[in-house]
Amino acid sequence: MGKVWRRRDMVMRLISINIAAYVVLIALSAHDQETGSSVSKLLGVEGLKTLGAAWRTIGLVDRPLHLATHMFVHLDVRDLLGNAFILFLVGRIYQNEAGERRLLSTYIAGAIAGFAVYMLLAEGFE
């Protein structure tokens, strides 16, 4: 039983990080709307939504943290639940075959590759 749980450990950690990021984003957004605080001002014109992805290359230069934050930010609960569900199903199978480290490196590499494609497409349609 312990070994089975260990195999799912990285999947559950990634899902937990995604959920925590969503909860923090919603809480900050609600706080920002109620109080008119400066949380959005610290993150730029688009506010908290800019943690998701910079849609222009210049945005990445100004805010390099996007490369890390975009892979954990979900602005819609359906997006969060859908991604968590797929990660749970596919991630568990992949982790059983390849291991925790390979799952984590694939998750990060896939997120960076997806970000690069998104940036190229967004720049092309600007």
Side-chain angles (χ1 to χ4, degrees), residues 2-3 8 17 21 28 33 41 51 55-56 60 70 72 79 83-84 88 94 107 109 115 117 121-122:
K3 189 172 184 174
R8 294 184 192 150
I17 291 169
L28 287 174
Q33 287 177 356
K41 293 175 188 166
L51 290 174
W55 62 277
R56 297 174 58 200
L60 184 59
H70 86 281
F72 300 111
D79 178 39
N83 287 343
F88 182 76
Y94 186 75
Y107 184 88
F115 187 84
V117 169
L121 290 175

Side-chain angles (χ1 to χ4, degrees), residues 32-98:
D32 210 31
Q33 287 177 356
E34 283 184 27
T35 63
S37 73
S38 59
V39 175
S40 285
K41 293 175 188 166
L42 293 172
L43 297 172
V45 178
E46 293 88 15
L48 295 169
K49 292 181 181 180
T50 63
L51 290 174
W55 62 277
R56 297 174 58 200
T57 311
I58 193 74
L60 184 59
V61 172
D62 292 341
R63 299 184 203 118
L65 189 60
H66 290 289
L67 200 54
T69 59
H70 86 281
M71 68 183 88
F72 300 111
V73 173
H74 303 277
L75 298 176
D76 183 300
V77 73
R78 289 177 299 170
D79 178 39
L80 173 68
L81 294 176
N83 287 343
F85 182 68
I86 296 299
L87 180 59
F88 182 76
L89 293 178
V90 176
R92 204 170 67 192
I93 294 167
Y94 186 75
Q95 185 173 263
N96 286 338
E97 295 297 320

